[in-house]
Amino acid sequence: KISSRWSDVFVGDDLAIRTITNIRAVSEKYAQNIGADIVIYDTSPSLGMLNRMTLSMADAFIVPCNPDLFSIYGIKNIGRSLDTWSKNFAILRQVLPVNRQSFFPKNGVKFLGYTIYKSTKYAGQNEWDLATGHYNYARQIPEAIQKSIPPELRAPLDSKTINTPIGDTSIMHSHQTMATMSQKYKVPMWNVPDANLDNGDKGTIGGNAARYRDTQASY
């Protein structure tokens, strides 16, 4: 129903408008009932119709990033999609009567920042205490944001906020950097120690070469 009614919103169909904006209407009523100032939607990591509706009805959003290649692509996809959706909603605000515009967020959804999770902690290694394999990709996230999420879709943030994960070193850690190194050198994990390694990676990978090679048996 959401998919079929999405396009009907743009011709001012009342039922379509109620369907698309219902998540915001329910959230606002619930927040008022319990005295909450903020409602958080925890969406799945996709840009399907349900998430498109949820994001479009929110005031702001945060991107949780696993420091790897796929998060970089994800940010690019979010930027492209939000750019299209925001232009659609700009048209809506021009054509819909004032009483119907009140169903929608006043200024459209804005990017607030990103977090880093599922990364390996290495105290003192860098400013975010990340293992080298994850740090390589974590440092690419701010650049991807700057290039892919237009300034008009971001909250008015200073440069430091854009370039720093929310929580700074308060990051959800794991111990799996081998996959990100495999992505970086474009070889299976068990072949990473024998790849043409950057000087900065040789010490880290060399000391764990046996662990990398042992992954072949599992696959």
Side-chain angles (χ1 to χ4, degrees):
K1 291 300 181 183
I2 292 171
S3 298
S4 64
R5 290 174 185 167
W6 180 268
S7 58
D8 292 338
V9 170
F10 297 91
V11 295
D13 182 86
D14 285 331
L15 178 59
I17 291 172
R18 288 199 302 272
T19 301
I20 297 302
T21 61
N22 193 46
I23 187 171
R24 185 176 179 91
V26 170
S27 298
E28 288 183 346
K29 184 176 181 180
Y30 185 70
Q32 186 177 18
N33 287 347
I34 67 171
D37 297 314
I38 297 171
V39 176
I40 296 176
Y41 304 132
D42 182 12
T43 69
S44 61
S46 72
L47 292 173
M49 181 55 68
L50 183 60
N51 284 349
R52 180 194 302 186
M53 182 194 69
T54 305
L55 268 174
S56 297
M57 291 301 106
D59 295 303
F61 71 101
I62 290 168
V63 182
C65 293
N66 188 341
D68 65 9
L69 186 65
F70 303 107
S71 286
I72 305 298
Y73 285 133
I75 289 170
K76 293 178 181 179
N77 290 335
I78 288 171
R80 282 193 295 267
S81 298
L82 284 174
D83 189 39
T84 300
W85 302 343
S86 65
K87 289 174 182 174
N88 289 339
F89 276 93
I91 295 171
L92 272 179
R93 292 186 185 95
Q94 293 175 14
V95 301
L96 290 180
V98 174
N99 63 319
R100 292 179 182 172
Q101 290 183 27
S102 62
F103 288 103
F104 296 89
K106 184 178 293 186
N107 300 310
V109 66
K110 302 294 182 185
F111 172 75
L112 280 184
Y114 69 99
T115 63
I116 292 177
Y117 74 100
K118 208 174 180 181
S119 57
T120 299
K121 185 174 183 177
Y122 200 126
Q125 181 86 345
N126 44 63
E127 69 270 29
W128 296 337
D129 291 340
L130 296 178
T132 302
H134 286 148
Y135 184 71
N136 289 337
Y137 279 98
R139 290 303 306 161
Q140 295 179 46
I141 293 170
E143 182 181 356
I145 290 167
Q146 297 276 11
K147 288 182 177 179
S148 305
I149 300 179
E152 60 271 20
L153 295 180
R154 301 182 216 147
L157 306 170
D158 57 43
S159 178
K160 181 180 180 182
T161 303
I162 281 282
N163 287 285
T164 306
I166 294 170
D168 199 18
T169 56
S170 300
I171 289 166
M172 289 184 285
H173 293 288
S174 75
H175 301 282
Q176 302 297 322
T177 62
M178 291 186 285
T180 53
M181 286 297 193
S182 175
Q183 293 171 11
K184 179 178 180 180
Y185 291 105
K186 299 178 175 64
V187 296
M189 282 188 286
W190 52 90
N191 288 339
V192 169
D194 304 312
N196 185 20
L197 303 176
D198 294 343
N199 289 333
D201 294 335
K202 286 180 179 178
T204 301
I205 293 173
N208 293 283
R211 288 182 58 226
Y212 277 93
R213 292 194 174 99
D214 288 344
T215 61
Q216 185 170 14
S218 300
Y219 281 91

